[in-house]
Amino acid sequence: MTEPALAFHNTLTRRKEPFVPADPANVRVYACGPTVYDRLHIGNGRMLIVFDVLYRLLRQCYGEAHVTYVRNITDVDDKINARAAERGIPIRDLTDEMIAVFHEDARALGCLAPTIEPRATDHIAAMIEMMERLIGRGHAYAAQGHVLFDVPSMRDYGALANKSPDEQLAGARVEVAPYKRSPTDFVLWKPSLRDEPGWQSPWGRGRPGWHLECSAMSWKHLGETFDIHGGGIDLVFPHHENEVAQSRCCFGTPLMARVWMHNGHLQVEGEKMSKSLGNFVTIRDLWDGERFGGRRWSGDALRLAMLRTHYRQPIDFTVRALEEAERLVSRWRSQIAGVPIDLNAAPSQGVMAALADDMNTPAVITELHTLFASARGGEAEAGIAAAGTDPQNPAHASMAAASARLLGLSLTSPPKEQAALRPVEEAMLAERSAARAARKWTESDRLRDALAAAGIAVKDNKDGSVSWERT
């Protein structure tokens, strides 16, 4: 396979660069996943969609078997502890429940499952090993049951975010603590109270800092250095900056990731999204019909509304944009309805060229307009057939469908009739309901996935009822 000519904007160098993986037979990508204390908001959804498109592009270019995509789950965090206490439930019950909700939301957005989805709590031993190495190398120190990273020990700390020491101090919102050598030093490990999650360590019973978790998980699954690290622009400092510091100083490497990619901020109807303004929108709000007067938005429409803006630019997420995206999705569906589709068709060269240029999805969508118009019903507009004709063009329809799939758009309409459940399917659905009632979220998630594999999409409604449809 000939290596594609991809180019991505690198936050570290602040310029667009040709993408050259260290090993084309194993392109390695890490993206920061959710902290599972609540339902994800649409800003989180943008990040999921952006890096899902990147994953699809890399698989298209290098082959599905040659891309490793790691998207972690943070299941130990002070926000999780606080929410579990607020709800009066065990922490593990909360995280298992929220992981199940996250998986449902990701599927609703049309996201592929990552190659590996590690949980932070499964990597405590790796975190302890990293801290021991950092202390041994003079980049960390223990104090009063804490382990802290010694920021002044790293000469080029702040290079990723391009922040001066004064800006670092202001941007990190640092905790003033007597055990810190420098105000900018950040926590790698901290003591746990009796009712908080904790693990035994050389420094006492405690739990890790958020930044250390991602360094440990990326190391264990992708190595000391890897190709691409992604996330939202809000993570550049301090989270990603601290990941760089931990990983490079631990392993003595010049880089953690060769390329850093970040998607832009999201606003809602022209304002910053916040619960105090009443404009805080979760992914679930958009597809379960509760928030918008019973209106349920398709996963295709949600993706398209996000991708009409370049991933690095800020986006204003509006109901009007959703409506326009839904209309466009319906139009594209109608233009290939009834046309034989070759599922092995390749995306168009124009679509590939646009995605290769720093994932220029607005240019892809422009190309899709032409492709779908040429499939059926819009041939005259595309200059392919005379007015008044309605010919089928399977080659163009197949190319259009393949190009849309590269963006994660399925363009499939829900079935109008549902075949009744078979007895074994009814039993699985009942077993899953029992598992949810018993708060056995892992078992509930397993059964939902088994039903999905059998072609049955299960949806848990806010009123406690369960609905399903065949896919």
Side-chain angles (χ1 to χ4, degrees), residues 295-308 317 321-327 329 333 409 411:
R295 181 72 182 271
R296 298 185 180 190
W297 309 97
S298 70
D300 281 348
L302 297 179
R303 287 183 78 96
L304 191 59
M306 292 285 192
L307 296 174
R308 293 177 80 175
F317 201 75
L322 281 172
E323 292 171 341
E324 291 174 350
E326 196 76 84
R327 284 194 294 270
V329 166
R333 283 176 181 153
L409 303 175
L411 300 182

Side-chain angles (χ1 to χ4, degrees), residues 42-368:
I42 55 176
N44 305 133
R46 186 185 194 194
M47 175 266 167
L48 288 175
I49 290 169
V50 164
F51 291 100
D52 181 68
V53 172
L54 174 65
Y55 183 33
R56 290 170 184 271
L57 173 62
L58 294 173
R59 283 166 34 126
Q60 178 70 29
C61 293
Y62 294 94
E64 294 183 12
H66 302 295
V67 181
T68 302
Y69 176 34
V70 177
R71 187 185 67 208
N72 76 290
I73 287 178
T74 296
D75 59 347
V76 52
D77 185 85
D78 289 347
K79 291 180 181 178
I80 295 173
N81 301 343
R83 183 58 54 85
E86 177 186 313
R87 292 181 54 182
I89 62 175
I91 289 170
R92 182 72 184 201
D93 285 358
L94 174 65
T95 57
D96 284 350
E97 176 189 352
M98 289 297 105
I99 289 171
V101 169
F102 164 61
H103 286 159
E104 290 176 353
D105 287 347
R107 279 191 292 270
L109 292 174
C111 294
L112 298 172
T115 316
I116 303 168
E117 191 176 66
R119 291 174 66 144
T121 52
D122 293 333
H123 295 75
I124 301 298
M127 298 177 205
I128 291 174
E129 183 177 348
M130 287 191 70
M131 286 185 282
E132 290 175 331
R133 290 193 188 189
L134 286 166
I135 291 173
R137 288 175 171 266
H139 292 292
Y141 57 94
Q144 298 183 24
H146 295 74
V147 179
L148 297 107
F149 185 87
D150 186 352
V151 169
S153 73
M154 184 180 183
R155 293 178 58 187
D156 57 347
Y157 179 87
L160 177 66
N162 195 27
K163 287 183 178 290
S164 68
D166 288 344
E167 290 172 320
Q168 295 166 22
L169 190 61
R173 300 179 182 177
V174 295
E175 175 189 3
V176 177
Y179 48 79
K180 285 187 174 185
R181 294 178 182 174
S182 168
T184 55
D185 293 351
F186 59 89
V187 171
L188 304 176
W189 187 262
K190 56 187 173 183
S192 291
L193 300 176
R194 182 174 300 177
D195 60 344
E196 294 175 328
W199 292 263
Q200 292 302 322
S201 79
W203 314 283
R205 182 177 178 276
R207 60 194 191 278
W210 173 38
H211 314 305
L212 182 63
E213 295 171 6
C214 284
S215 283
M217 286 183 280
S218 64
W219 166 43
K220 280 301 178 181
H221 297 287
L222 297 175
E224 296 178 2
T225 61
F226 50 93
D227 295 306
I228 300 175
H229 194 313
I233 192 69
D234 56 307
L235 298 181
V236 175
F237 191 87
H239 183 50
H240 287 169
E241 192 73 63
N242 290 350
E243 280 189 59
V244 171
Q246 295 159 164
S247 295
R248 284 184 51 202
C249 292
C250 179
F251 304 118
T253 55
L255 293 171
M256 177 188 184
R258 299 156 68 87
V259 179
W260 288 82
M261 298 176 66
H262 294 93
N263 62 272
H265 289 292
L266 179 142
Q267 291 186 319
V268 176
E269 303 288 352
E271 295 185 302
K272 182 178 179 180
M273 183 170 62
S274 71
K275 291 183 178 179
S276 62
L277 292 176
N279 66 351
F280 189 87
V281 182
T282 68
I283 298 169
R284 183 66 59 92
D285 288 333
L286 294 168
W287 63 265
D288 73 356
E290 294 286 336
R291 177 73 178 268
F292 295 95
R295 181 72 182 271
R296 298 185 180 190
W297 309 97
S298 70
D300 281 348
L302 297 179
R303 287 183 78 96
L304 191 59
M306 292 285 192
L307 296 174
R308 293 177 80 175
T309 299
H310 190 274
Y311 80 93
R312 288 197 297 112
Q313 300 302 315
I315 187 173
D316 187 18
F317 201 75
T318 67
V319 171
R320 180 178 177 181
L322 281 172
E323 292 171 341
E324 291 174 350
E326 196 76 84
R327 284 194 294 270
L328 186 52
V329 166
S330 296
R331 177 183 170 190
W332 286 348
R333 283 176 181 153
S334 68
Q335 287 173 322
I336 60 172
V339 183
I341 300 297
D342 177 5
L343 296 178
N344 295 316
S348 78
Q349 292 182 356
V351 164
M352 289 300 299
L355 286 175
D357 182 17
D358 197 28
M359 294 209 304
N360 188 348
T361 55
V364 171
I365 292 168
T366 299
E367 175 76 4
L368 288 176

Side-chain angles (χ1 to χ4, degrees), residues 403-431:
S403 299
R405 283 197 303 273
L406 198 51
L407 289 189
L409 303 175
S410 63
L411 300 182
T412 56
S413 299
K416 295 181 180 179
E417 297 183 3
Q418 298 284 351
L421 291 173
R422 294 178 295 157
V424 66
E425 295 167 341
E426 288 182 343
M428 290 173 67
L429 200 61
E431 187 179 351

